Amino acid sequence: MDLASQESIRKAVAKVEAIISTLDILVNNAGCTHRLRQWTAEGIEMQFGVNHVGTFLLTKLLYPLLMAAARQSPPGAARIVNLSSHGHRLSPFRLHDYNMENKEVPPEEQPIASLPPAFAKASEDGYLSTIAYSQSKTANILFTLSLQDRAAASGIMSYAVHPGGMCVPNPSRR
Ligand SMILES: NC(=O)c1ccc[n+]([C@@H]2O[C@H](COP(=O)([O-])OP(=O)(O)OC[C@H]3O[C@@H](n4cnc5c(N)ncnc54)[C@H](OP(=O)(O)O)[C@@H]3O)[C@@H](O)[C@H]2O)c1
């Protein structure tokens, strides 16, 4: 499944639905970082599109299976775990510029003032890759909070977690 393609996500979920009728735990681990600007199949900035929008759609489509599991389990046994990041601290969600098109954002959507210079570095077209990643990880947390409000009554618990820091250099990654 490619989280950068909503068609691919829908196809994958259809396959899952054909083989299982309940889903106890969904761990939304897949995520990406990109130094240069890229777009999903639907024209969404890649890091936001994969890390939040694709994850959101996958969760929404799998939700009936999680509900089915929750109906048969003690409250809290069915779970959605969203991998966020410590990096969320660098940037709020940019509601006025979620696609990272260098639009003006109000003060409450701007990156933290003490952003280390390396993180504030933009590519030639003005793309702020670290901020794009950070706002996508903030979106993961806001999504989790929203799930906690909406899903807890059905017995589904939601968590946003930071996995720790780990970097394996990948020269092919752009
Ligand atoms: N590593 C860290 O220090 C760190 C810190 C904080 C948070 N996190 C978060 O932890 C999670 C895992 O990170 P990681 O370091 O393990 O990342 P990683 O080594 O780069 O692995 C990312 C995984 O996501 C998959 N993926 C990427 N783009 C995808 C797409 N468009 N569709 C479907 N799958 C896709 C990759 O699949 P392929 O292998 O097929 O490309 C890979 O399995 C991420 O959500 C990340 O934001 C990591």
Side-chain angles (χ1 to χ4, degrees), residues 22-25 65-79 154-156:
T22 60
L23 178 61
D24 296 293
I25 300 181
L65 295 179
L66 285 152
M67 287 276 285
R71 280 193 291 274
Q72 302 170 9
S73 318
R79 290 173 209 176
S154 311
I156 301 171

Side-chain angles (χ1 to χ4, degrees), residues 1-5 8 28-34 46 50-51 82-87 133 136-137 140 161-168 170 173:
M1 178 188 66
D2 181 5
L3 283 168
S5 157
S8 170
N28 285 315
N29 175 69
C32 64
T33 57
H34 292 284
M46 184 65 85
V50 168
N51 298 350
N82 293 319
L83 269 285
S84 177
S85 167
H86 195 58
Y133 177 75
S136 77
K137 293 288 139 184
N140 291 153
V161 298
H162 166 64
M166 164 81 175
C167 182
V168 180
N170 179 351
R173 188 169 290 169

